[in-house]
Amino acid sequence: MEASEQGGISEALELHELHVRVGSRTLLEPTSITLPAGKITVIVGGSGAGKSVVLRILAGLTPRHDDAIEWSGSITGSEGRPLRRVGIVFQQFALFDELSPLWNVQFAIDHRRDRSQPPEQSARQWLDELRVPTRTPVAALSGGQKQRLAIARTLAADPDVVLYDEPTSGLDAASGRQVAALIQRTQQTHGRTSIVVTHDYETLLPIADHVLLLDSERRQLVAEEPGDWKSIPDRMQPVATEPRAITTEPTLAQTLSARGRLAAVDFMDATGAAIITAIRLPWDAIPRMPRIRWGLRFLTHYLNLVAGPSAWIYLIMAGLIVGFAGTHFTFRYLPFSVYTKPLLIEDLLAAIGFALYRILVPVMATILIAARCGAAVAADVGVKRYGSQVDALQTLGVRPTAYLLVPILAAFVIGTPLLEWVGFQTAQWISMLTFAINHPQINASFWQVHFYAQLQNEDAWFAAGVSWVLLKNVACGIGIAAIAYYRGIRPKRSAGDVSESITATVLWTTLFVLLVHFVVAFLEF
Ligand SMILES: Nc1ncnc2c1ncn2[C@@H]1O[C@H](COP(=O)(O)OP(=O)(O)OP(=O)(O)O)[C@@H](O)[C@H]1O
């Protein structure tokens, strides 16, 4: 542990017997090494040596038994103390696009490591220090400005250690040197232990206090003496890909059988994931928001996504169609209508009112909400996952369930009945209009009396069966929210994975909604 010039405390990073495997390949044999406090350590290694894997492990983003990655050993601060916070400046920055630069930094300040201590400086002071415009939307910032904002956000959260992931990637030599100078200046000003993971040794070795080589031959992190730094490039060999086994072309029957097996495995995977999700949901949904005001901010975002103005237009259109069709065609295609209509008109209106209120509008509304809002939320969460914003939340000390799942569930529990209500209001209005146009000789109050005949509730102001309608809405809302969230939050390696998660959400949410209506219909009637 070391005190910085500004009086802050920075921690060393101690690796104890860190052992990393990816699939059947060992990336790192058990390694124990200390990355000194308050210094810049540069970790270099050839392409494919495992720098990104090690960086994510150091940042606490990889569980010990991931899908393909396994690691053991421990990572602590100085003298074996637990690390409280490891910050990371992501290669693609992982900024929160929907927030201004100022609010990106404020988010980090509000979730800083020790909130009993005053923040090191205000969000505006951080942006001034790192020369980031405060009002320009994040998406409109230049690459360099985004990187400086990412550094400001990471430091504002008051981490013990700051990791930089390939900070010069994609930059020309001059810009790379500026970034290196910025890292050095920031480190000197704030005294944080800084670890730079890179393959760009030429630009970043000049600012290093220590250098570690991730040696892919020896599978070790090797501390390099300054005298040996010059020879590092010769030892940074790209890792050859695994030689492919030579196989004969599979026959059509083999291909089909393999595809069948894959489809079966996919189906089992999806079903297994759905069961696990259902079991986990109550635990994940406990609202443990670190800051209520940020929770409300995320809730507003998701309420707008789920039940904003464009969703109202959907439900109004749906209500118009189902209300008009239900009323118009019932009377138009009534068999022997000249004779039967005078006898049945009252009962038919009551049946239309009942069907619209209890079945047609709820089914139509929830299917639309599942497809439209489920897809919107899966896309939102999927992009946050793919763009590392979910990782950024985690390294800022926030569980993604707190600010994503809980607000998403709340938005659907509020939004689904609200949108359904909008659909029903429209449906009953168009039903009245259709009836009035088709039966100009009948008094308007006739419709009013008979449309609601099956919905009268003697004891209360609300309609009969409202609890069933609400139950369907809330059950569908919770299911859509959970499917969209868990599909979106799964690891994403490509934009294709995001798109696949949106498609899967639409398929599963609509199926779920139909299942809810099917099951509730048995209990209800
Ligand atoms: N989630 C994963 N599943 C399977 N293999 C993985 C996974 N992540 C990394 N790998 C493999 O682990 C090895 C190390 O990858 P890593 O991305 O850490 O390399 P790197 O040193 O960062 O390379 P580069 O500098 O080219 O980005 C590679 O062979 C990669 O294919």
Side-chain angles (χ1 to χ4, degrees):
M1 188 161 62
E2 188 170 280
S4 74
E5 284 168 28
Q6 293 207 335
I9 301 293
S10 73
E11 290 274 351
L13 191 74
E14 294 184 358
L15 313 185
H16 309 272
E17 296 292 305
L18 183 64
H19 182 203
V20 182
R21 293 171 63 84
V22 176
S24 58
R25 183 180 149 206
T26 299
L27 286 187
L28 200 60
E29 296 289 0
T31 299
S32 297
I33 202 162
T34 297
L35 286 67
K39 305 282 183 209
I40 300 180
T41 299
V42 173
I43 300 180
V44 289
S47 177
K51 299 183 294 296
S52 305
V53 171
V54 169
L55 175 113
R56 289 182 64 82
I57 292 172
L58 297 184
L61 291 171
T62 305
R64 284 178 185 268
H65 303 281
D66 203 11
D67 277 352
I69 300 167
E70 282 201 29
W71 66 274
S72 57
S74 63
I75 301 160
T76 65
S78 308
E79 293 154 19
R81 275 191 304 275
L83 281 166
R84 289 161 300 172
R85 182 71 65 87
V86 177
I88 176 165
V89 179
F90 291 89
Q91 191 176 347
Q92 302 301 334
F93 317 128
L95 297 166
F96 304 130
D97 299 325
E98 65 272 26
L99 303 179
S100 69
L102 208 58
W103 282 110
N104 263 275
V105 178
Q106 191 59 48
F107 184 92
I109 292 175
D110 288 347
H111 297 89
R112 65 189 179 278
R113 181 181 53 172
D114 183 358
R115 292 214 302 271
S116 63
Q117 298 295 322
E120 193 174 332
Q121 52 188 350
S122 71
R124 193 169 290 277
Q125 284 168 326
W126 278 112
L127 294 184
D128 287 347
E129 181 187 327
L130 284 143
R131 292 181 293 109
V132 181
T134 48
R135 289 181 198 282
T136 315
V138 165
L141 295 176
S142 72
Q145 289 169 335
K146 282 184 185 163
Q147 188 175 47
R148 294 200 296 276
L149 175 56
I151 294 174
R153 186 182 65 176
T154 306
L155 291 172
D158 190 22
D160 297 313
V161 173
V162 183
L163 301 173
Y164 291 87
D165 183 9
E166 298 278 4
T168 58
S169 94
L171 298 181
D172 58 54
S175 312
R177 279 195 295 276
Q178 282 174 7
V179 169
L182 173 68
I183 293 173
Q184 189 171 41
R185 200 172 57 242
T186 316
Q187 197 277 332
Q188 283 163 355
T189 313
H190 300 281
R192 307 278 157 191
T193 305
S194 302
I195 297 164
V196 185
V197 177
T198 184
H199 64 275
D200 184 7
Y201 53 87
E202 276 181 348
T203 312
L204 291 158
L205 287 195
I207 64 162
D209 296 308
H210 298 271
V211 175
L212 301 181
L213 172 67
L214 182 51
D215 189 327
S216 51
E217 297 272 297
R218 290 158 63 190
R219 296 172 186 146
Q220 288 281 346
L221 264 177
V222 186
E224 296 285 327
E225 294 300 323
D228 297 334
W229 290 5
K230 274 207 180 81
S231 65
I232 286 177
D234 302 330
R235 286 175 288 142
M236 269 179 51
Q237 296 307 321
V239 177
T241 49
E242 301 280 347
R244 284 179 56 149
I246 299 164
T247 52
T248 50
E249 275 296 307
T251 63
L252 181 63
Q254 280 171 330
T255 309
L256 288 178
S257 129
R259 282 202 184 153
R261 275 203 302 276
L262 271 182
V265 168
D266 275 358
F267 180 76
M268 302 283 281
D269 254 13
T271 316
I275 294 169
I276 291 169
T277 300
I279 295 168
R280 265 176 55 180
L281 185 63
W283 169 253
D284 281 352
I286 298 171
R288 282 169 289 214
M289 290 181 185
R291 305 303 299 262
I292 293 294
R293 78 168 167 150
W294 278 102
L296 290 175
R297 199 166 178 146
F298 278 88
L299 174 61
T300 314
H301 169 72
Y302 286 111
L303 260 180
N304 194 34
L305 206 59
V306 171
S310 80
W312 283 54
I313 294 171
Y314 261 71
L315 271 295
I316 288 172
M317 299 293 288
L320 287 177
I321 293 167
V322 76
F324 167 76
T327 310
H328 181 71
F329 293 110
T330 302
F331 290 111
R332 179 156 175 195
Y333 292 118
L334 189 65
F336 309 107
S337 67
V338 178
Y339 311 106
T340 50
K341 201 196 259 181
L343 299 172
L344 295 177
I345 193 162
E346 296 169 3
D347 288 344
L348 284 175
L349 264 184
I352 292 169
F354 182 85
L356 284 178
Y357 182 74
R358 298 278 294 264
I359 305 153
L360 296 179
V361 175
V363 169
M364 185 112 161
T366 46
I367 287 182
L368 278 178
I369 293 167
R372 178 201 173 276
C373 308
V377 168
D380 178 280
V381 177
V383 166
K384 284 190 166 76
R385 168 54 101 185
Y386 182 47
S388 301
Q389 293 177 29
V390 173
D391 292 337
L393 276 179
Q394 262 174 280
T395 56
L396 291 169
V398 177
R399 295 156 55 97
T401 48
Y403 285 159
L404 301 180
L405 176 63
V406 173
I408 289 169
L409 277 169
F412 273 98
V413 168
I414 298 168
T416 311
L418 176 73
L419 290 173
E420 208 262 22
W421 178 82
V422 169
F424 181 69
Q425 294 306 313
T426 320
Q428 63 172 349
W429 175 81
I430 196 75
S431 169
M432 183 180 69
L433 199 68
T434 310
F435 184 79
I437 291 171
N438 286 336
H439 305 87
Q441 72 287 6
I442 300 181
N443 189 320
S445 63
F446 181 88
W447 177 91
Q448 183 88 16
V449 170
H450 297 291
F451 183 87
Y452 294 108
Q454 289 292 326
L455 306 175
Q456 299 294 344
N457 195 343
E458 298 288 307
D459 314 324
W461 57 268
F462 41 77
V466 68
S467 46
W468 287 112
V469 175
L470 261 181
L471 172 73
K472 287 188 273 198
N473 276 298
V474 171
C476 289
I478 290 175
I480 300 167
I483 293 169
Y485 170 80
Y486 287 108
R487 281 280 162 179
I489 205 79
R490 281 178 168 198
K492 306 271 178 294
R493 295 211 193 106
S494 66
D497 285 352
V498 179
S499 130
E500 188 272 333
S501 73
I502 298 168
T503 313
T505 299
V506 174
L507 296 179
W508 285 96
T509 50
T510 44
L511 184 66
F512 175 79
V513 161
L514 291 174
L515 204 67
V516 168
H517 286 288
F518 183 72
V519 172
V520 176
F522 269 110
L523 303 171
E524 191 179 357
F525 302 115

